[in-house]
Amino acid sequence: ATLEPWPDLVERMVLYDLRGHGESSGPSRVGIGEEDDLAALLDELGPGPFVLVGRSLGGGIAWRQAARDERVAGLLLLAPVLDLRDATRRRLVRAGYPTWPIVPLAFAWLRLRGLSVAESPAGRAVAAPVLVVTGADDEITPPATTASCASAGPHIERVLIVGAGHADLETVDPDRLDGAIRSFVDRVRAGVGDGSG
């Protein structure tokens, strides 16, 4: 379900695992600086143009790459984690764990490993069309946390999936999501065709 409707819309799809996920070597860098891995992958794939699709933690990674890479013709973010500290806190609360002292200790440990959590990538302008899809009931990246995206550029559209949480966007209202993605791809194609995106 997570791949629909992409096979009908693009010539080629490339999926990769973040560090420490799936079959990638690790350890995970929890998205910090991992846009460099994505850039290396895009370099291997050729000149583009590319549409980046980022889900959850991958959303912030894709945003940071899109903000610095003119080969990116479109950016689709599904329940994007744009504030790692806030998303970590929300995950702990949802699971019934205390946020203190876990969150401060976790981020101190990241700093000791040389991983500095940067500002939200939504502060970085993206010239390409952007579609941000959020579940109305998402407790990890609620709609309010993606509101900052709207100020990052004129080509940003937000879609709210009523009844969806963080991980079920494709199953709660697949027709609405499918329509939003198809409309987004049409916008990207129009921009690539006229040289503006």
Side-chain angles (χ1 to χ4, degrees):
T2 61
L3 295 181
E4 295 297 333
W6 292 103
D8 296 337
L9 298 175
V10 294
E11 295 175 19
R12 173 174 64 165
M13 290 190 306
V14 177
L15 297 107
Y16 76 104
D17 293 324
L18 298 176
R19 294 178 187 215
H21 293 74
E23 296 182 15
S24 286
S25 58
S28 171
R29 294 172 55 94
V30 290
I32 301 168
E34 290 188 74
E35 62 272 17
D36 294 336
D37 295 340
L38 178 53
L41 173 61
L42 297 180
D43 289 344
E44 289 291 320
L45 295 175
F50 300 109
V51 173
L52 301 182
V53 180
R55 168 180 286 285
S56 192
L57 187 62
I61 295 166
W63 186 291
R64 286 189 293 275
Q65 181 60 28
R68 69 183 193 176
D69 191 336
E70 61 187 26
R71 299 173 297 174
V72 176
L75 177 62
L76 170 59
L77 306 176
L78 302 165
V81 170
L82 301 174
D83 183 333
L84 182 60
R85 191 179 310 269
D86 182 61
T88 302
R89 185 185 61 75
R90 289 176 182 278
R91 277 194 185 278
L92 289 169
V93 168
R94 184 171 183 243
Y97 294 111
T99 59
W100 174 262
I102 297 172
V103 172
L105 288 173
F107 284 86
W109 179 75
L110 288 172
R111 281 192 304 278
L112 287 172
R113 287 189 52 212
L115 302 174
S116 176
V117 179
E119 79 287 349
S120 167
R124 301 179 186 188
V126 174
V130 179
L131 174 61
V132 181
V133 182
T134 309
D137 298 332
D138 190 336
E139 296 176 347
I140 307 303
T141 57
T145 66
T146 60
S148 61
C149 296
S151 63
H155 310 297
I156 297 175
E157 177 185 0
R158 294 177 65 218
V159 170
L160 187 68
I161 305 292
V162 176
H166 189 68
D168 59 358
L169 294 171
E170 294 85 3
T171 57
V172 169
D173 192 346
D175 293 337
R176 175 122 197 267
L177 182 60
D178 183 273
I181 291 173
R182 289 179 186 278
S183 175
F184 167 71
V185 170
D186 288 344
R187 275 198 306 146
V188 171
R189 284 190 176 129
V192 170
D194 69 15
S196 67

